[in-house]
Amino acid sequence: MKPKVSVIIPVYNVEKFLQSCINSLLKQTLREIEFIFVNDASPDNSMEILKYNQKKFPDKITIIDSKENLCQGGARNLGIKVAKGDYIGF
């Protein structure tokens, strides 16, 4: 099923809040939605949290792992390149 909406979430040093963010996103009622998390070279355990959730929800969560910190704009641009939805949100 093609998503109507792609939500791009830049991730940098947010391990304390990331699981809560993911839980909130997954509670959305729109079924045709994808979540693209862009790990922006985060030095904390954010990537492990993302991988754990992607295993649980592989049809909803996509991870892009940038080895270079591109800041918020660069991370969003990476997400836009893989977004499949008709609409994009940040």
Side-chain angles (χ1 to χ4, degrees):
M1 157 177 48
K2 182 180 184 292
K4 283 201 174 293
V5 177
S6 298
V7 181
I8 300 167
I9 306 99
V11 175
Y12 182 80
N13 217 17
V14 292
E15 73 176 306
K16 288 180 7 182
F17 313 104
L18 186 55
Q19 190 60 57
S20 175
C21 172
I22 293 169
N23 292 343
S24 176
L25 290 168
L26 291 171
K27 289 180 184 175
Q28 300 304 308
T29 56
L30 180 65
R31 293 191 184 275
E32 300 90 5
I33 192 167
E34 69 174 344
F35 304 109
I36 303 168
F37 291 89
V38 182
N39 181 39
D40 198 19
S42 187
D44 64 1
N45 291 317
S46 293
M47 190 62 188
E48 286 73 29
I49 295 168
L50 292 173
K51 286 179 183 177
Y52 170 79
N53 284 280
Q54 185 183 39
K55 284 181 185 176
K56 289 175 63 178
F57 303 99
D59 57 327
K60 292 279 185 195
I61 296 177
T62 301
I63 301 171
I64 299 172
D65 189 17
S66 175
K67 300 300 181 195
E68 176 185 352
N69 185 288
L70 302 172
C71 298
Q72 207 173 72
R76 286 179 175 177
N77 288 337
L78 286 178
I80 289 170
K81 289 179 184 177
V82 301
K84 298 179 197 125
D86 296 328
Y87 303 96
I88 295 176
F90 300 103

